[in-house]
Amino acid sequence: MSELDALKAMGDAGPIIIRQVTSTDRKLEVRERMKRRYAHKNYPDEFPFRCKCIVVFQKLDGVDVILFALYVYEHDAKNPAPNTRTVYVSYLDSVHFMRPRKLRTFVYHEILISYLDYARQRGFATAHIWACPPLKGDDYIFYAKPEDQKTPKDGRLRQWYIDMLVECQKRDIVGKVTNMYDLYFANEKLDATAVPYLEGDYFPGEAENIIKDIEEGGSKKGGSSSKKSKKKRNGSSSSSSSGTSNKTKSKSKAGRSGTRSGSNDEDEVEMPEPSYKDGGRDQVMVKLGDTIQPMKESFIVAFLNWKGAKEEDMVVPKEITEYREKAKKEKEESGKDPTADGVLSSALADEASSSSSNNRKRDANGNIREIGRAH
């Protein structure tokens, strides 16, 4: 759906309002076993980040009704590796009250696209997304849903994100799109210090459990070190999560599941670990890689087209390149930029230049003037 079609479809429906309601600085402390195991590599004790919440309302029958919420975590250029210049799409949730309902995907995609465009302009290099739907009846952010609102399956939710990222590629916001397994775990030269350590993500808790097994030489992976608890369902492990409650996300692997910072509960015979410090493979990467490989497509990594992007990270499929070339030609012929920000983008674009806008004011004629800083 194009922006023009969306505006036509709106008809007499109420206006849509986008608000950033939270922007707070937080710190994620590295768990003890992870910190101890990689101390020789000066692994950080903590990762500071900024948590933002973006909310969508629509005025329905004279009332501002909340429809959608998105939580993102931003690790800027000052953040230590491996989190440097990383954004994490932590949670999003919605209720289907938008009018007309058929605009939901278009509007929510535009919000994510606009956010990623804003993030790249601010110098963020990668965006990480864990595409993991809740179980029916469980919630991420909104505590209740309409009975007739469907919960997307794993495949459908992944495709929903991929469709959004393809549009980002068309607009030259995103380059290569890959997954966490192919990027980190398939490379035998990397150890666990190369994987971004993100609040609420699958990696921190599962890595801690695996290190515990290795240290103790145990034979069982069990229990959750997460703040979010595991659930059992029909004899196999499943879970869901909430941004504000003790629920979990789930991923199934032949009767096993990975939870948000959770663990697996299947008995395995552990083999002695080769010394990765002496050139052997890091067994944390081996074991965790084996777990996530069957569900690797759910751990999405997108390279953002920021000013310091590497050429190899901006490689896109042939059809995307052809689309860009066609769009560029149309721009030259019409004088209009087909990849320019849409109406919805302005809500986030304003913040992208906030550092300079603090010193800019409009005069009586509406013209923007620079205001000198006080010294």
Side-chain angles (χ1 to χ4, degrees):
M1 179 181 291
S2 68
E3 185 176 296
L4 182 59
D5 291 338
L7 290 173
K8 289 179 179 178
M10 284 292 295
D12 297 327
I16 293 172
I17 304 100
I18 304 171
R19 299 170 182 161
Q20 179 179 290
V21 296
T22 298
S23 181
T24 57
D25 290 326
R26 298 184 183 178
K27 290 183 179 180
L28 172 61
E29 294 186 1
V30 175
R31 302 190 184 191
E32 286 302 318
R33 287 187 172 86
M34 181 77 178
K35 189 161 49 177
R36 183 170 60 244
R37 179 178 175 86
Y38 300 103
H40 68 288
K41 301 195 73 171
N42 296 318
Y43 196 74
D45 293 332
E46 62 185 20
F47 293 97
F49 65 95
R50 174 158 291 191
C51 171
K52 292 181 177 178
C53 179
I54 298 165
V55 179
V56 176
F57 299 84
Q58 185 177 23
K59 190 172 286 295
L60 301 175
D61 302 323
V63 178
D64 282 351
V65 178
I66 189 168
L67 304 175
F68 173 90
L70 165 69
Y71 277 89
V72 294
Y73 300 156
E74 299 177 347
H75 297 256
D76 62 20
K78 297 178 181 178
N79 223 268
N83 287 17
T84 312
R85 297 185 182 276
T86 295
V87 295
Y88 182 50
V89 177
S90 177
Y91 293 100
L92 61 81
D93 203 357
S94 68
V95 287
H96 67 20
F97 297 130
M98 180 176 286
R99 299 177 190 170
R101 193 175 294 184
K102 65 181 181 180
L103 287 181
R104 293 174 67 216
T105 292
F106 173 80
V107 172
Y108 302 154
H109 273 185
E110 284 296 318
I111 291 169
L112 282 166
I113 291 167
S114 298
Y115 172 75
L116 293 179
D117 192 21
Y118 154 81
R120 76 176 183 92
Q121 292 180 48
R122 286 193 52 216
F124 291 98
T126 57
H128 294 250
I129 302 171
W130 182 9
C132 180
L135 295 176
K136 185 174 178 57
D138 289 332
D139 308 291
Y140 283 173
I141 299 172
F142 301 125
Y143 71 90
K145 300 284 198 317
E147 286 293 329
D148 61 337
Q149 180 166 334
K150 296 180 180 179
T151 301
K153 302 297 184 182
D154 283 16
R156 183 176 179 182
L157 181 60
R158 284 197 302 270
Q159 192 59 49
W160 190 90
Y161 279 116
I162 293 299
D163 290 344
M164 180 273 296
L165 290 171
V166 167
E167 185 62 31
C168 285
Q169 289 179 321
K170 290 179 178 179
R171 301 187 195 184
D172 209 13
I173 295 168
V174 163
K176 182 171 67 177
V177 175
T178 183
N179 61 77
M180 190 168 71
Y181 178 86
D182 290 345
L183 190 59
Y184 304 112
F185 295 91
N187 187 341
E188 295 187 0
K189 296 180 181 179
L190 298 180
D191 61 27
T193 64
V195 183
Y197 199 91
L198 304 167
E199 172 72 34
D201 194 33
Y202 181 73
F203 174 74
E206 185 64 8
E208 195 77 359
N209 292 333
I210 290 173
I211 295 170
K212 180 175 182 290
D213 287 342
I214 291 172
E215 290 178 345
E216 297 179 353
S219 61
K220 181 175 183 179
K221 294 180 181 180
S224 173
S225 61
S226 170
K227 62 184 177 182
K228 299 172 185 175
S229 60
K230 294 187 74 175
K231 287 176 141 186
K232 296 281 186 176
R233 189 178 184 185
N234 297 329
S236 65
S237 177
S238 297
S239 51
S240 67
S241 73
S242 169
T244 55
S245 66
N246 292 330
K247 297 177 182 177
T248 56
K249 280 190 174 183
S250 71
K251 291 290 168 200
S252 64
K253 179 196 174 190
R256 291 163 40 172
S257 76
T259 66
R260 274 222 157 185
S261 297
S263 63
N264 297 315
D265 37 311
E266 179 177 282
D267 289 337
E268 293 182 353
V269 176
E270 300 291 340
M271 300 299 293
E273 179 197 9
S275 176
Y276 78 97
K277 296 180 183 179
D278 297 328
R281 184 81 197 276
D282 185 357
Q283 290 301 295
V284 175
M285 297 292 278
V286 173
K287 296 174 187 297
L288 189 48
D290 288 345
T291 300
I292 72 168
Q293 195 277 333
M295 53 185 180
K296 68 178 186 178
E297 301 300 335
S298 295
F299 297 95
I300 302 168
V301 182
F303 286 87
L304 303 179
N305 186 16
W306 67 294
K307 64 181 180 181
K310 298 178 181 178
E311 185 176 349
E312 61 266 28
D313 294 335
M314 293 296 104
V315 176
V316 294
K318 180 180 178 181
E319 55 268 27
I320 298 296
T321 302
E322 292 174 347
Y323 177 91
R324 289 176 180 176
E325 291 173 351
K326 180 180 178 182
K328 182 179 180 180
K329 184 177 180 181
E330 290 176 352
K331 173 188 174 183
E332 292 171 349
E333 292 176 351
S334 66
K336 179 182 178 181
D337 184 357
T339 65
D341 289 345
V343 172
L344 294 172
S345 302
S346 60
L348 291 172
D350 288 344
E351 188 179 346
S353 59
S354 61
S355 60
S356 60
S357 62
N358 290 336
N359 300 313
R360 301 167 68 199
K361 304 294 181 181
R362 292 186 181 273
D363 60 19
N365 297 319
N367 299 315
I368 295 178
R369 304 293 186 191
E370 294 291 338
I371 307 297
R373 294 186 179 182
H375 295 282

